[in-house]
Amino acid sequence: MLPLDPQADVGRRAWVTCPNCADNRGCASCEQRRSCSEHWRYLLATTGSLLHLQCPSCTHVWTHETGFGATRSWWDRITGGRSKR
């Protein structure tokens, strides 16, 4: 289990399902896609439409593509922004 990231701040949160532990299963608020006081994630950083998150329950770190904004093209989103070299 990873320790909490030094950038983890309870003041910067996001409500996205953790792909590792899915601890929000069975929560009425989460199932209705409303903000819940228990099942939030640390918002570590943002890069355009990408959210860099950490789950406080299992400390899993991942990147979530929101699809919002025009900062990255569709192709960059599906390829992860990899360039050909």
Side-chain angles (χ1 to χ4, degrees), residues 36-84:
C36 172
S37 62
E38 290 183 47
H39 305 113
W40 49 269
R41 313 302 170 208
Y42 288 110
L43 177 60
L44 302 177
T46 59
T47 307
S49 59
L50 293 175
L51 303 179
H52 305 284
L53 305 163
Q54 185 169 28
C55 177
S57 297
C58 68
T59 68
H60 178 67
V61 176
W62 77 101
T63 301
H64 174 75
E65 172 62 64
T66 64
F68 294 116
T71 57
R72 295 176 347 115
S73 71
W74 177 82
W75 180 249
D76 284 343
R77 286 189 304 220
I78 64 170
T79 62
R82 293 185 295 262
S83 60
K84 295 179 183 176

